[in-house]
Amino acid sequence: MTTRKKILGSHVKRLLSGVSDHGRRHLSEVETDLVQTTLLLEEAVEKLTSSFMAIHHVVDARQEAINRLLAGQAPTAEESARLTAMSGEIAGHVNAAVTSMQFQDMTSQLLDRTLRRVMGLRDFLTTLSEHGDDILPESDGEEIVERLGKVSMALAIQSLELRSMLRKSVEQRHLESGDVELF
């Protein structure tokens, strides 16, 4: 095999390997972000359901006490204290429900990052296609090596730009389970 063919083969192999690695890495991160989004949604729905069921329970108990009062029954000291405490319980459950709704901010951040990854991968493949269109079947080996070098450089720059843009993490605050940081 001639030296030119070896150089050309080496460039093609490196380019294809780089494209494959870049695509797999970003698709893996997209998968991770989507799994995290699913887990956040499941946790939030669970906590919201629990909070609303607790609110319902307290409101039912309060309504029973109000119905007894309307029927002319005097509340015991214990019932009076319980009625007073119910307002605080309801407020606590509403606060827990509102806190659980913070998942919206986190899922938005994860979905935004996922969308940026997909757009970055699309741009990466567009760059590859545009540079590939410049390589004609009658191009000689040196010209192909030069064009492959240019596309490799353009793709490396795009990859670095995308990685630096996506480096930020998504943070969850104020959930009962403590602070959770997602990467």
Side-chain angles (χ1 to χ4, degrees), residues 48-64:
L48 286 169
T49 301
S50 175
S51 294
F52 289 128
M53 291 306 293
I55 291 168
H56 176 71
H57 177 72
V58 174
V59 168
D60 272 355
R62 192 174 209 180
Q63 187 60 48
E64 287 175 19

Side-chain angles (χ1 to χ4, degrees), residues 77-139:
E78 184 179 298
E79 286 177 324
S80 292
R82 178 79 178 118
L83 278 170
T84 302
M86 285 179 180
S87 294
E89 281 183 57
I90 292 171
H93 294 308
V94 168
N95 188 43
V98 169
T99 300
S100 295
M101 285 192 257
Q102 289 179 347
F103 78 93
Q104 188 276 333
D105 178 54
M106 293 179 56
T107 54
S108 284
Q109 290 178 54
L110 283 168
L111 291 173
D112 181 61
R113 187 169 69 182
T114 300
L115 183 59
R116 287 177 189 258
R117 284 189 188 285
V118 170
M119 290 170 22
L121 187 54
R122 183 199 59 221
D123 293 346
F124 190 84
L125 294 173
T126 299
T127 298
L128 181 62
S129 175
E130 288 170 354
H131 280 78
D133 289 345
D134 292 342
I135 299 174
L136 304 173
E138 59 273 1
S139 299

Side-chain angles (χ1 to χ4, degrees), residues 5-56:
K5 285 186 179 180
K6 286 182 183 179
I7 292 172
L8 180 59
S10 172
H11 279 305
V12 169
K13 181 179 178 181
R14 190 172 357 147
L15 177 64
L16 292 176
S17 178
V19 169
S20 175
D21 289 346
H22 179 83
R24 275 197 317 263
R25 184 173 49 251
H26 284 287
L27 289 176
S28 177
E29 291 294 328
V30 164
E31 181 181 9
T32 298
D33 286 351
L34 291 174
V35 167
Q36 287 177 331
T37 302
T38 300
L39 293 174
L40 284 172
L41 289 172
E42 287 173 0
E43 179 184 357
V45 167
E46 213 173 274
K47 287 181 178 187
L48 286 169
T49 301
S50 175
S51 294
F52 289 128
M53 291 306 293
I55 291 168
H56 176 71

